[in-house]
Amino acid sequence: MKASQRGKVTESGLYHKQISRTWWLRNRRYALFMLREVSSIFLALFVILYLVQLALLVAEPDLYNRYLTLMRTPGWIALHIVILAFALLHTFTWLSSLPAVQMVRVRGKEAPRREVWLAGLIGWLAVSVGIGLVILRG
């Protein structure tokens, strides 16, 4: 019997099966789910960094410029690349769950899941490009 299959009986007489800490790595769907959950930590970190940047912009130009200089260091750039990767993973896994969560009807019939996913992806890309254009022109 493998160590991960062994269990134990507690003082109350209940049987508890011991599960490996890496159980979720054995199934691709579980691994993607867990990575998506971890991605929220990195996205929250990005929001905090962004709010700090906005607060420094309002507070004092010198502090803001020092913050921007810090953000241009290789470590911070690497962190932002990791955050971007997690943001993309979070977005694509969320969009892939959209057809299962939100049933879309067109003329009384359920729209194909692939089309719902594609519509969500196109909408996300359109909004992202629009925001990017506003930022670049502003």
Side-chain angles (χ1 to χ4, degrees), residues 44-73 76-77 79-80 83:
L45 177 62
F46 176 77
V47 169
I48 292 167
L49 291 172
Y50 189 67
L51 290 174
V52 168
Q53 183 177 0
L54 288 175
L56 292 175
L57 177 63
V58 171
E60 186 177 334
D62 184 48
L63 285 174
Y64 178 72
N65 288 330
R66 288 178 23 206
Y67 182 81
L68 288 181
T69 302
L70 176 67
M71 288 292 123
R72 291 185 182 112
T73 60
W76 284 104
I77 291 172
L79 176 64
H80 279 85
I83 290 172

Side-chain angles (χ1 to χ4, degrees), residues 13-129:
L14 297 174
Y15 177 78
H16 290 278
K17 184 176 180 181
Q18 294 175 345
I19 299 175
S20 152
R21 291 183 183 146
T22 58
W23 62 268
W24 52 275
L25 290 173
R26 293 187 202 113
N27 184 319
R28 183 178 178 268
R29 292 179 66 190
Y30 292 150
L32 278 174
F33 172 79
M34 294 298 273
L35 284 173
R36 180 173 183 266
E37 294 303 306
V38 168
S39 72
S40 62
I41 296 168
F42 287 91
L43 297 176
L45 177 62
F46 176 77
V47 169
I48 292 167
L49 291 172
Y50 189 67
L51 290 174
V52 168
Q53 183 177 0
L54 288 175
L56 292 175
L57 177 63
V58 171
E60 186 177 334
D62 184 48
L63 285 174
Y64 178 72
N65 288 330
R66 288 178 23 206
Y67 182 81
L68 288 181
T69 302
L70 176 67
M71 288 292 123
R72 291 185 182 112
T73 60
W76 284 104
I77 291 172
L79 176 64
H80 279 85
I81 290 171
V82 169
I83 290 172
L84 176 63
F86 274 119
L88 291 173
L89 172 75
H90 195 91
T91 301
F92 283 108
T93 56
W94 184 82
L95 285 173
S96 68
S97 69
L98 184 63
V101 174
Q102 179 64 50
M103 184 175 60
V104 177
R105 293 190 174 273
V106 178
R107 295 183 183 146
K109 294 182 181 180
E110 183 180 350
R113 289 179 174 230
R114 183 170 173 83
E115 290 179 13
V116 173
W117 176 82
L118 193 57
L121 181 64
I122 290 170
W124 171 70
L125 287 172
V127 169
S128 297
V129 168

